[in-house]
């Protein structure tokens, strides 16, 4: 995809997003680049916060922010959106002006000038200004971002570091060229090159450990504690693989035992600590008199040892954060470095992270992208058609994007005519992502406060929950389940539009209002309509929400807004208040009656229960067929080799050995459905034990 094609596609996405949200194109651009910078792992959980105004003679402007709990940095975004069909350009003076307005917002907030009544208390900017004063002592770094649909005339994409009230401040420029480059990269991230020599010494001493036909090289390295802490101080959580980053954000950055070792026995750190595991897409090496050294690494990511890294950086900073902390000069850390080609990195890094963390508290749920749950939803989304809606003459899919970029990737090799057909059948307005599903599920399960914590934290919780439910009974995740998810998406998106249209809506906290309103609706039905539930199948069949439901949600949403923005709320920032269990408890206990029209629209639970039983039986049959196909598709000779290997390893019982012998006779003799299920279980177990398919 050329730069011009990419920009046209971005503008179309922005305009469609703005239209579906009944918002301005600029707001659609801010939401879109916020998502893209989150995908590129520049942001943790992005919060739109659109404000433009003055304070004295200073012009202030901000479009959003993201506080990263993994490294206590705060990213702040200002957008420059032209919406022109031709590609505009901007220069150094434009950039200085934009960053100046963003800096002015932060400085005025820190001085208390934005919380003195100059900004309406219900506006998100007031809440952010309040939080900036509270957060400032613990913020390690401000990261300013300018996002534009134009081209920067100068080559520098990151500018020299500045300082705000004693806190380092980075300046990052993301123009359309940089967004395009990230889009084309295999991992979707901006290139990060770590030059180890910049942090002292002349590279990292290493030993080659393994290689695999050019696809994989492994090295054992020694990295000084000062170097590792310095790298983390500079690059922050961008160094951390996504799941490790999420784990640190939720489980805590600093390990007390690591801190004690650094303080009391730094020379023993190498002996007491397990070290870190990392990946890179490329390295530069030099031969010295003392052996091989790694000079630099491209797209370095830590996949295990996030706490070790963060603890070293924290100890080095000290309590004041001004580098008055522990002496790290005697600390040495072992590092296992895996070098992967860019085209394999996106696939292999999560797997390496999973195995590297198999002995600690990072659960399988954290590495959830390849879980069978996602694979099944993806398969449903490609074959289940929704009823034609809005006068259309054809059915459509609710396209589930299990991996980032699937929707775009599936169109790359299509002709223009095929692409138009694909978009008709898979409209972008019906795209579902993993974080969308997590938001829908946790809202309907009565956890709007968790949803309000942000996409990544909410997804972590959701992944853990679904993994447990899958283990208990995977048949519940059937075609009806997928249709209900799509119905919830329709309900959710209709509520987003509804809130936007209300006279009381002032332009902030819509995400919080929506999740709380729908969670409250679900709770009201459970409390006031025993034996009934929302008719999600009806929403799916019509691909729309009835007037009775819309009117009920409008009533709930108004009350939710009033409670979220209540002047007597215990937390100034509404966004932070919405994350608290106390907020949900308060809204949950508020008295709102279901209308008679709403009660009439509900579905009898017995009908739903019978349909669920049938759906489970259908899924059971589908599972059996899929397993038979999987077993029969493997040649008998391969089953024979598997049996020989397993017997040599003494991993089979006599019955299991007989079953594999039967499989080795495929296609002359075919196992039954029950035998196929047993054979496949044996196959999965032996693969886990280390069996590799033989030629």
């Amino acid at each position: 995809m050329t730069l011009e094609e990419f920009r046209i596609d971005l503008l179309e996405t922005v305009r469609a997003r703005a239209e579906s949200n009944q918002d301005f194109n600029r707001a659609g651009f801010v939401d879109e680049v916020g998502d893209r910078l989150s995908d590129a792992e520049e942001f943790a959980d992005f919060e739109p916060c659109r404000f433009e105004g003055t304070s004295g003679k200073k012009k202030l402007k901000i479009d959003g922010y993201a506080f990263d709990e993994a490294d206590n940095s705060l990213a702040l975004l200002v957008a420059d959106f032209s919406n022109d069909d031709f590609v505009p350009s901007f220069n150094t003076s434009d950039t200085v002006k934009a960053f100046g307005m963003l800096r002015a917002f932060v400085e005025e907030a820190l001085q208390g000038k934005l919380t003195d009544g100059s900004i309406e208390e219900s506006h998100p900017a007031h809440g952010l200004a309040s939080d900036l004063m509270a957060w400032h002592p613990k913020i390690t770094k401000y990261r300013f971002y300018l996002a534009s649909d134009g081209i920067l005339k100068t080559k520098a994409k990151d500018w020299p570091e500045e300082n705000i009230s004693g806190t380092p401040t980075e300046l990052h420029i993301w123009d359309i060229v940089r967004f395009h480059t990230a889009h084309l990269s295999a991992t979707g991230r901006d290139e990060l090159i770590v030059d180890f020599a910049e942090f002292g010494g002349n590279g990292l001493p290493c030993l080659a450990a393994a290689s695999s036909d050019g696809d994989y090289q492994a090295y054992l390295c020694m990295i000084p504690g000062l170097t590792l802490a310095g790298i983390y101080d500079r690059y922050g959580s961008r160094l951390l693989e996504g799941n490790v980053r999420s784990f640190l954000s939720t489980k805590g950055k600093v390990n007390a035992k690591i801190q004690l070792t650094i303080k009391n026995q730094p020379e023993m750190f190498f002996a007491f600590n397990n070290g870190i595991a990392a990946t890179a897409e490329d390295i530069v090496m030099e031969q010295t008199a003392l052996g091989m050294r790694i000079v630099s690494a491209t797209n370095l990511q830590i996949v295990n040892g996030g706490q070790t890294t963060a603890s070293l950086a924290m100890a080095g900073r000290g309590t004041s954060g001004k580098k008055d902390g522990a002496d790290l000069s005697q600390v040495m850390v072992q590092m296992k470095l895996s070098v992967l080609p860019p085209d394999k990195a996106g696939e292999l890094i999560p797997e390496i992270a999973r195995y590297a963390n198999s002995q600690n508290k990072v659960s399988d749920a954290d590495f959830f992208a390849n879980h069978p749950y996602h694979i099944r939803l993806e398969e449903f989304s490609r074959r289940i058609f929704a009823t034609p809606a809005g006068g259309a003459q054809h059915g459509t899919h609710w396209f589930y994007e299990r991996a980032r970029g699937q929707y775009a990737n599936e169109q790359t090799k299509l002709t223009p005519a095929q692409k138009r057909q694909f978009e008709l059948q898979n409209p972008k307005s019906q795209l579902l992502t993993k974080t969308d599903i997590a938001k829908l599920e946790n809202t309907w399960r009565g956890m709007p406060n968790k949803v309000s914590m942000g996409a990544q934290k909410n997804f972590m919780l959701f992944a853990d929950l679904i993994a447990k439910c899958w283990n208990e009974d995977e048949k519940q995740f059937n075609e009806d389940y997928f249709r209900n998810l799509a119905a919830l998406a329709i309900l959710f998106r209709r509520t987003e539009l509804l809130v936007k249209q209300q006279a009381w809506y002032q332009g902030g906290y819509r995400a919080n209002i929506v999740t709380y309103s729908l969670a409250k609706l679900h709770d009201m039905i459970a409390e006031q309509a025993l034996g009934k539930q929302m008719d999600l199948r009806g929403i799916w069949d019509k691909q729309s929400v009835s007037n009775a439901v819309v009117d009920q949600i409008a009533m709930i949403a108004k009350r939710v807004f009033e409670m979220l923005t209540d002047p007597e709320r215990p937390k100034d920032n509404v966004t932070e208040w919405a994350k608290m269990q106390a907020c949900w408890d308060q809204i949950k206990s508020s008295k709102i009656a279901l209308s008679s029209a709403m009660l009439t629209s509900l579905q009898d639970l017995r009908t739903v229960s019978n349909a669920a039983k049938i759906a489970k039986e259908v899924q059971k049959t589908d599972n059996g067929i899929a397993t038979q196909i999987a077993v029969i598709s493997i040649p008998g000779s391969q089953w024979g080799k598997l049996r020989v290997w397993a017997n040599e390893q003494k991993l089979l019982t006599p019955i299991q050995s007989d079953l594999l012998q039967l499989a080795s006779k495929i296609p002359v003799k075919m196992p039954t459905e029950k035998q196929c299920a047993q054979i496949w279980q044996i196959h999965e177990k032996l693969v886990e034990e280390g069996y590799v398919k033989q030629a």
Side-chain angles (χ1 to χ4, degrees), residues 344-389:
K344 297 285 184 69
E347 172 190 349
L348 292 177
I349 287 174
E351 286 298 304
I352 293 172
R354 178 179 181 178
Y355 286 105
N357 287 281
S358 61
Q359 300 303 313
N360 66 22
K361 294 179 182 178
V362 182
S363 69
D364 273 352
D366 300 338
F367 306 96
F368 200 58
N370 294 316
H371 192 280
Y373 168 86
H374 286 296
I375 295 169
R376 185 175 291 179
L377 287 193
E378 179 185 33
E379 189 268 324
F380 286 156
S381 79
R382 303 303 190 268
R383 66 176 174 81
I384 295 176
F385 278 95
T387 309

Side-chain angles (χ1 to χ4, degrees), residues 437-455 457-466 468-469 492 511-523 577-585 587-588:
I437 296 296
K439 178 172 61 179
L440 299 172
E441 272 275 19
N442 285 353
T443 292
W444 210 237
R445 288 173 183 266
M447 296 183 283
N449 55 313
K450 303 298 184 184
V451 176
S452 296
M453 287 182 174
K457 284 187 178 179
N458 182 57
F459 181 76
M460 291 265 295
L461 177 73
F462 161 75
D464 191 47
L465 181 68
I466 292 298
K468 290 173 184 173
C469 291
F492 210 97
N512 308 115
I513 295 168
V514 171
T515 184
Y516 268 92
S517 296
L518 292 181
K520 176 64 176 174
L521 174 63
H522 186 265
D523 184 68
W577 166 228
K579 296 175 183 179
M580 299 172 66
Q581 180 65 41
C583 181
W584 173 228
D585 290 342
I587 291 175
K588 190 176 180 181

Side-chain angles (χ1 to χ4, degrees), residues 4-244:
E4 286 188 1
E5 290 170 337
F6 172 77
R7 187 173 182 277
I8 290 168
D9 183 71
L10 174 66
L11 290 181
E12 288 176 354
T13 301
V14 165
R15 291 163 184 168
R17 187 167 189 159
E19 183 180 354
S20 67
N21 289 334
Q22 295 189 356
D23 212 335
F24 296 109
N25 284 331
R26 190 177 185 284
F29 178 72
V30 169
D31 291 340
E32 183 64 25
V33 297
D35 286 349
R36 293 188 183 224
L37 288 169
S38 297
D39 287 341
E41 298 185 8
E42 296 289 329
F43 291 169
D45 281 311
F46 179 69
E47 290 281 354
C49 179
R50 302 176 193 115
F51 175 80
E52 191 167 357
T54 59
S55 177
K57 294 183 179 180
K58 293 183 179 179
K59 289 185 177 180
L60 318 178
K61 188 177 180 181
I62 185 170
D63 285 295
Y65 65 97
F67 183 70
D68 192 338
E69 293 185 26
D71 63 2
N72 281 355
S73 65
L74 179 64
L76 299 120
L77 173 73
V78 63
D80 172 36
F81 182 56
S82 70
N83 199 28
D84 292 331
D85 290 331
F86 65 89
V87 185
S89 61
F90 61 103
N91 55 31
T92 301
S93 62
D94 298 321
T95 305
V96 169
K97 181 180 177 182
F99 280 139
M101 290 190 287
L102 190 55
R103 182 185 182 108
F105 179 89
V106 175
E107 290 177 334
E108 295 297 284
L110 292 178
Q111 292 174 33
K113 294 181 180 180
L114 304 184
T115 47
D116 59 359
S118 56
I119 300 178
E120 173 63 41
E121 277 196 34
S122 61
H123 195 288
H126 182 279
L128 174 59
S130 175
D131 277 343
L132 275 167
M133 289 190 288
W135 288 341
H136 182 72
K138 69 176 181 180
I139 289 176
T140 57
K141 185 178 294 185
Y142 290 107
R143 294 184 288 119
F144 286 6
Y145 286 80
L146 169 60
S148 173
D149 65 333
I151 295 178
L152 177 65
K153 285 183 178 178
T154 59
K155 291 183 178 180
K157 58 183 181 179
D158 296 323
W159 286 15
E161 202 170 88
E162 295 186 353
N163 191 287
I164 293 180
S165 298
T167 301
T169 305
E170 297 175 347
L171 307 177
H172 302 279
I173 304 162
W174 278 71
D175 65 351
I176 195 67
V177 175
R178 193 168 183 180
F179 278 113
H180 180 234
T181 302
H183 173 77
L184 293 179
S185 75
T187 58
R189 301 169 74 231
D190 193 38
E191 189 173 71
L192 185 156
I193 299 176
V194 176
D195 184 348
F196 296 110
E198 287 185 22
F199 300 92
N202 56 348
L204 308 181
C206 67
L207 292 172
S211 63
S212 173
D213 298 327
D215 285 345
Y216 170 79
Q217 286 87 41
Y219 300 88
L220 296 176
C221 314
M222 292 279 287
I223 181 166
L226 274 171
T227 300
L228 184 57
I231 292 170
Y232 190 71
D233 274 337
R234 177 173 299 182
Y235 299 108
S237 66
R238 283 188 67 199
L239 280 177
L240 306 177
E241 192 273 336
N243 297 298
V244 176

Side-chain angles (χ1 to χ4, degrees), residues 354-355 645 682-691:
R354 178 179 181 178
Y355 286 105
W645 178 85
I682 298 167
H683 173 272
E684 295 296 279
K685 174 194 167 188
L686 295 179
V687 168
E688 284 186 10
E689 291 288 346
Y691 177 74

